[in-house]
Amino acid sequence: MVTVPSASPSPAAGPPGAPGTACSSGLPGAGSPHPVPEPGPLDRANLTREEAGRRAALLTVHAYDVHVDVRDAADPGTATFGTRTTVTFSCAEPGSSTVLDFLHAGVETVEFNGRALDPARVAGRARILLEDLAAENEVTVTGAASYSTSGEGLHRFVDPVDGRVYLYTQFEPADARRVFACFEQPDLKGRFTLHLTGPADWVLASNQPEAARRDAGDGLVTVDFSPTPPLSTYVTTLLAGPYATWEDRWPGHPASGAGEVPLALYCRRSLAGSLDPEELFATTRAGLDFFHDLFGVPYPWGRYGQAFVPEYNLGAMENPGLVTFTEQYVFTSRATRSQYEARATTLLHEMAHMWFGDLVTMRWWDDLWLKESFADYMGTLATAEATGFTEAWTTFAHRRKGWAYVQDAYPTTHPVVADVPDLEAARQNFDGITYAKGASVLKQLVAFVGREAFVAAAREYFSRHAWGNATLRDLLAVLEEASGRDLADWPGRWLLTSGAPELWLGDGPSPVLHQAAVDPVTGREALRPHVLRVGRYEPDGEGRLVRVGSAAVEVAAGPAGARTAVGPWEPDDVRPGAAAADGPRLLLPNDDDLTYARIRLDEASVDAVLRYPVADGLTAATVWAALWTMTRDGRLAAARFVEACCRLSHAIGDVGLYAQVLGQAETAVRRYAPAGEREALRAQLGTALREALRGLEPGGDRQRAALRALALLARGAGADRAAFVPVLEAVLAGWPADAGGRGPGPAAGAPAAGEVAPGLAVDAEVRWAALQALAALGVAGQARLDAALAADRTAQAAVWHRTASAARPDPEVRAAAWHAVMAGRTAEGEVLSNDHLSAVAAGFTASRPDLAAPFAERFWAGLTGVWDDRSNGLATRTVGGLFPAAQDAVPGGPEAQERHPVVLAARRWLAENAAAPRALRRIVVEETDDLVRSLRAQAAGRA
């Protein structure tokens, strides 16, 4: 749900809670906007699919001319900025009416077809009424819009290092209207000419290159950008601030006709020393080469800029010509290979969007998957084939698909092609199904039709629909033509159904592959077609499970797909010393991870994978994913998962998978293990992690991952904290020093850092991870945390400090944290931005669930108020961050957990708030499902 800024009773007062005047701008009259009327139809921000369809049938948008004035952005007393928009458009039914979308801080003027309209009559809080349309129309709106601290619209950030101010925009799915008046829906594309006024010494950038620069007086300039090709509003963008800048070029691609493309990188000046432009430019050039070879369609957007921005809600956004990324990808501390791989995959995901999403765009958010699933698939493919990260599909198997399997198990699951009736629903569908399940299904589709046909279909898709909008039907048409396959049944099986099918093998001389699938939304059987492989693995002479045979299997759709014979087997090269055929073995459905399905391992296979490490990385990812699913489902005790991690994780060479398994083991201790077993399991996992710190490659990626996991595990320690504190203090080595240069110093007999973790790079991330754990244990007090922040005054350290401060196990501290998150500001009145709000919430739940328990009942009472009073992004962070998820199972078995007091409270809230916003209810439903799952697993584990 979009939170619409309320109109102030006085034009000079600004939006509620914001200091300063409504606007300070060089735009005509923008300093005195008219107040908007009382709530009414024009105040409704939630655009429906039906409304968008009617508007698309009525209008053809030609062009936008948008001027945004941020001259006073560096003044903390200025809450708003000036904005002026002119839109030209045609109307198919002259004499009819329509509305512009604008979430504003005040509208000053509306000029429509040469007539001045009264803003008090036509402008609501979210829409501007345009009546008596002509065949050709022009409307100009001037007014004020609010700076954001939520990461939505035009976000403003003050760098704590040097006080410099940075601005960037984030619009998807529908926040361009927070900056300028527009027709906010993806199928009303227009050509944008953007203008930006700001300080002359700032970087002022947008989708297209700068066309002209005009002096605006008083040290200001107005930059005019070249007109864009046809764009949807949600991918327009602005960047303003004293960003550090690097430039390069891509030479082009003669075979496709692509010419030279200028490249640029941006980040905050205080991070400039940490950015690695050579690596980023190299990945960018490799990606452009790869996609031009693959698609044969020239890059259509002129320049290729990439900006790394603070307090970003997403990983990245595909604004053509100027992609925005979270600055978490600027590594200020030592990063592991998996972090560099994740950045490369994100960069190439966004690059794929230049064709899938930007050049050809979905008509409405039902087909969001048309861009996100393709970009997820293509980003991984490009990473695996165009960079040095050849393990990208392994990462996809354990991380992206893991996200999809969790999302698909919620009561809120939905088809890949979702039913999105309005913008509120659209915001909630940027999830594991739209991205990762959709990409997994596309991987299966490629296996089904063949890669050559898939690529040929993509090329034809771009050719037919360039600069326009498309639907699922358009995609299927080109796929059928290119492959010769009849795909009439395929989308109904894969894209229009919900839930994950389950695959398992029956053993014997002629194994049979079984499939079970029921659509949880409709309750109907939904057996899918699959093209996959089944593998047989046995221990080699070194005690590792290696593949000794495999079989290609094509599973039919419908009832015939319930049982499929497996064979003939194709023998692999059996390594010397392999065990006999009747010894330990793993039978693995979905070998090579070609399809999307939950894997149920038979008893003999479970025994094998709990005893022996798996040699192949992709196979190991598939196996560990199956074990984690079993743990979450209560079919494998948390203790057995933790024991397997302690026994086998040292053999996991892929650092991404290694870190994931360690994190899952920590979660198993905290959430899925019965309360009576947690201390022993924590001690067992802690011992294994301390051994890993000492025994793994000194200074290596896996050692760093082990330290991160140990610091998280330590937060939950109680009587056993003595096993963790010496290691954490050894890592800190007396940091931070006090004003006299003295630190707390190591305890008598405490080990040195080199003894607990030889070669570990002790940097800001490591120090703050240790400090947060010590704060949660009550060892590090506020004075020490404040001294640490004084010694490391960076934006990231400020966030870490928030979490550590809120994590201290003091009832008053936790109460203050609770109230700060619920109010969105500290007791001193400081507004919490998106990252800082989440950091405080993370501290509130970091340890000692008993300290959070008194606030559980208040949580339910405050939900609707939080949702009504703040933006969708901030409200989502608040509700998810404070949900009372850390609970112990009540007496009885798994079924008895429905009687848990918190579960009952959640069900009661849902029953009593049936009319609550859809997005809010979805968060509560999913959090409740996670809670019930953890309680059932605890109960099953103690049975």
Side-chain angles (χ1 to χ4, degrees):
M1 177 182 179
V2 176
T3 301
V4 182
S6 300
S8 55
S10 165
T21 61
C23 180
S24 178
S25 168
L27 297 179
S32 56
H34 292 282
V36 299
E38 291 300 311
L42 297 178
D43 301 321
R44 186 167 57 83
N46 190 22
L47 180 71
T48 69
R49 179 174 51 206
E50 287 72 22
E51 289 174 318
R54 289 194 298 269
R55 190 161 65 177
L58 183 68
L59 307 181
T60 300
V61 176
H62 303 308
Y64 285 86
D65 190 277
V66 178
H67 185 187
V68 173
D69 190 327
V70 296
R71 66 180 62 207
D72 293 321
D75 178 3
T78 300
T80 61
F81 56 90
T83 173
R84 181 179 64 217
T85 303
T86 298
V87 192
T88 58
F89 61 98
S90 301
C91 174
E93 299 176 16
S96 58
S97 301
T98 192
V99 291
L100 273 173
D101 304 301
F102 192 21
L103 299 176
H104 56 84
V107 173
E108 184 205 350
T109 66
V110 180
E111 184 175 329
F112 179 53
N113 290 342
R115 294 178 287 120
L117 306 183
D118 180 4
R121 187 182 74 82
V122 301
R125 297 178 183 178
R127 303 181 181 196
I128 297 172
L129 177 64
L130 303 178
E131 299 172 300
D132 192 20
L133 298 174
E136 298 297 329
N137 302 272
E138 180 176 289
V139 60
T140 298
V141 177
T142 62
S146 297
Y147 291 111
S148 161
T149 57
S150 67
E152 301 151 300
L154 181 59
H155 187 89
R156 178 167 60 179
F157 175 82
V158 180
D159 192 334
V161 175
D162 53 23
R164 292 187 170 104
V165 171
Y166 293 88
L167 307 175
Y168 64 87
T169 57
Q170 171 55 37
F171 292 156
E172 190 175 31
D175 286 322
R177 56 189 174 154
R178 292 183 183 274
V179 175
F180 56 88
C182 59
F183 297 113
E184 187 81 281
Q185 59 190 77
D187 60 347
L188 285 179
K189 290 186 172 183
R191 295 180 182 274
F192 284 82
T193 301
L194 297 165
H195 314 269
L196 186 57
T197 296
D201 59 350
W202 277 16
V203 168
L204 301 174
S206 185
N207 302 85
Q208 288 292 295
E210 181 177 317
R213 176 175 291 246
R214 296 175 281 128
D215 181 77
D218 298 325
L220 301 169
V221 293
T222 295
V223 172
D224 307 316
F225 299 99
S226 298
T228 71
L231 278 184
S232 300
T233 54
Y234 75 90
V235 286
T236 57
T237 191
L238 295 169
L239 186 78
Y243 287 91
T245 305
W246 297 260
E247 294 180 343
D248 204 336
R249 56 182 287 277
W250 176 66
H253 188 266
S256 67
E260 180 178 296
V261 175
L263 309 178
L265 299 170
Y266 308 91
C267 77
R268 288 188 289 123
R269 288 190 189 180
S270 61
L271 293 180
S274 298
L275 192 86
D276 48 343
E278 295 82 6
E279 179 67 23
L280 288 164
F281 281 136
T283 303
T284 303
R285 287 191 295 268
L288 288 169
D289 288 341
F290 179 83
F291 286 123
H292 281 83
D293 287 342
L294 194 69
F295 299 147
V297 177
Y299 174 74
W301 304 106
R303 70 192 295 264
Y304 202 97
Q306 297 171 103
F308 296 83
V309 298
E311 297 187 327
Y312 202 51
N313 287 331
L314 311 172
M317 182 63 207
E318 67 268 19
N319 313 306
L322 183 55
V323 182
T324 41
F325 295 83
T326 172
E327 67 179 22
Q328 296 299 313
Y329 285 137
V330 180
F331 302 122
T332 56
S333 293
R334 186 185 181 282
T336 64
R337 178 178 174 85
S338 63
Q339 288 174 276
Y340 282 104
E341 179 199 339
R343 184 179 70 177
T345 304
T346 301
L347 189 155
L348 295 170
H349 172 120
E350 302 308 322
M351 188 178 289
H353 274 310
M354 300 299 115
W355 292 268
F356 283 106
D358 293 349
L359 180 63
V360 182
T361 310
M362 70 272 166
R363 290 194 181 279
W364 179 249
W365 301 101
D366 307 72
D367 280 322
L368 174 64
W369 78 281
L370 271 176
K371 71 184 187 75
E372 295 302 347
S373 298
F374 273 89
D376 230 36
Y377 172 77
M378 288 294 176
T380 304
L381 181 70
T383 303
E385 298 185 6
T387 76
F389 300 108
T390 56
E391 67 273 27
W393 285 116
T394 298
T395 303
F396 180 85
H398 70 76
R399 190 168 295 277
R400 301 299 283 183
K401 288 183 80 169
W403 177 30
Y405 291 138
V406 169
Q407 190 77 50
D408 220 1
Y410 283 134
T412 56
T413 187
H414 57 84
V416 174
V417 180
D419 177 30
V420 181
D422 52 38
L423 287 178
E424 181 184 309
R427 289 185 183 279
Q428 295 303 307
N429 276 351
F430 289 80
D431 60 15
I433 294 172
T434 300
Y435 283 74
K437 180 180 179 179
S440 303
V441 169
L442 285 178
K443 188 179 182 184
Q444 172 61 192
L445 178 61
V446 173
F448 187 67
V449 303
R451 176 163 169 169
E452 185 176 336
F454 184 82
V455 171
R459 292 183 173 204
E460 182 61 25
Y461 180 74
F462 299 141
S463 175
R464 290 186 190 179
H465 304 289
W467 311 115
N469 299 83
T471 65
L472 169 61
R473 184 174 300 175
D474 299 318
L475 175 66
L476 292 177
V478 294
L479 279 168
E480 287 185 328
E481 293 170 16
S483 68
R485 287 249 196 183
D486 181 0
L487 298 176
D489 190 51
W490 193 87
R493 300 289 183 181
W494 276 113
L495 300 177
L496 303 176
T497 56
S498 301
E502 187 172 36
L503 300 176
W504 72 97
L505 283 162
D507 201 359
S510 300
V512 172
L513 180 67
H514 299 265
Q515 179 184 194
V518 174
D519 187 322
V521 176
T522 66
R524 301 191 189 100
E525 187 175 61
L527 298 174
R528 277 79 157 193
H530 304 267
V531 174
L532 53 80
R533 299 190 69 81
V534 173
R536 181 184 178 96
Y537 292 76
E538 298 174 4
D540 67 1
E542 299 177 12
R544 303 175 306 166
L545 289 170
V546 297
R547 185 163 57 194
V548 297
S550 63
V553 182
E554 184 158 345
V555 178
R563 291 170 55 88
T564 306
V566 175
W569 289 92
E570 304 166 8
D572 281 28
D573 293 331
V574 181
R575 302 187 184 188
D582 59 352
R585 60 97 182 112
L586 160 66
L587 290 178
L588 184 63
N590 198 25
D591 201 14
D592 291 335
D593 195 45
L594 293 176
T595 195
Y596 176 79
R598 289 159 58 99
I599 302 304
R600 185 197 307 174
L601 298 177
D602 65 281
E603 186 175 343
S605 294
V606 171
D607 288 342
V609 299
L610 292 179
R611 291 171 56 197
Y612 300 97
V614 178
D616 177 72
L618 182 56
T619 305
T622 305
V623 165
W624 281 105
L627 293 176
W628 183 238
T629 295
M630 293 171 65
T631 303
R632 295 184 74 249
D633 289 348
R635 292 186 285 117
L636 180 72
R640 295 189 73 190
F641 186 92
V642 172
E643 289 161 3
C645 174
C646 294
R647 182 186 304 115
L648 303 173
S649 60
H650 70 279
I652 302 175
D654 183 289
V655 64
L657 179 58
Y658 177 74
Q660 174 114 335
V661 170
L662 295 188
Q664 289 169 341
E666 188 276 330
T667 302
V669 172
R670 178 168 41 86
R671 295 290 298 274
Y672 296 105
E677 297 181 10
R678 286 181 202 142
E679 185 172 330
L681 288 176
R682 188 182 301 109
Q684 182 181 7
L685 182 57
T687 297
L689 290 172
R690 288 191 294 274
E691 291 174 354
L693 288 175
R694 291 191 299 269
L696 291 175
E697 54 277 13
D701 286 356
R702 293 194 301 163
Q703 182 193 53
R704 193 172 190 87
L707 187 280
R708 291 168 176 166
L710 182 76
L712 281 176
L713 182 70
R715 294 181 182 187
D720 55 335
R721 73 178 192 172
F724 296 95
V725 171
V727 176
L728 299 170
E729 291 287 18
V731 167
L732 287 168
W735 188 84
D738 63 19
R742 300 179 299 276
E755 297 175 42
V756 301
L760 177 70
V762 179
D763 49 28
E765 182 209 8
V766 167
R767 292 190 185 101
W768 279 102
L771 266 183
Q772 286 175 345
L774 292 172
L777 294 172
V779 175
Q782 192 62 49
R784 186 175 180 186
L785 301 178
D786 292 345
L789 182 60
D792 182 24
R793 191 165 291 281
T794 64
Q796 182 59 72
V799 173
W800 287 329
H801 177 265
R802 290 276 193 202
T803 297
S805 298
R808 292 187 297 124
D810 180 307
E812 292 185 2
V813 169
R814 296 297 174 88
W818 165 269
H819 290 298
V821 175
M822 290 297 286
R825 63 183 66 230
T826 66
E828 295 75 31
E830 182 182 358
V831 174
L832 294 173
S833 67
N834 48 1
D835 279 3
H836 282 248
L837 186 141
S838 290
V840 177
F844 177 78
T845 58
S847 67
R848 294 284 303 276
D850 59 300
L851 294 176
F855 299 92
E857 197 59 39
R858 298 188 221 178
F859 175 80
W860 307 109
L863 284 186
T864 54
V866 164
W867 202 264
D868 290 342
D869 291 343
R870 55 188 76 169
S871 74
N872 185 286
L874 290 177
T876 297
R877 287 171 180 256
T878 300
V879 177
L882 294 183
F883 188 91
Q887 303 295 327
D888 296 336
V890 297
E895 300 302 324
Q897 303 315 307
E898 286 291 338
R899 300 194 298 270
H900 191 286
V902 175
V903 175
L904 291 174
R907 304 278 195 233
R908 184 168 56 250
W909 185 91
L910 289 166
E912 294 173 354
N913 291 271
R918 183 194 317 267
L920 172 57
R921 286 180 56 83
R922 176 171 176 171
I923 296 169
V924 174
V925 167
E926 292 179 357
E927 292 285 353
T928 304
D929 188 73
D930 279 337
L931 172 60
V932 172
R933 189 177 295 272
S934 70
L935 296 173
R936 291 173 66 91
Q938 292 175 36
R942 70 189 177 198

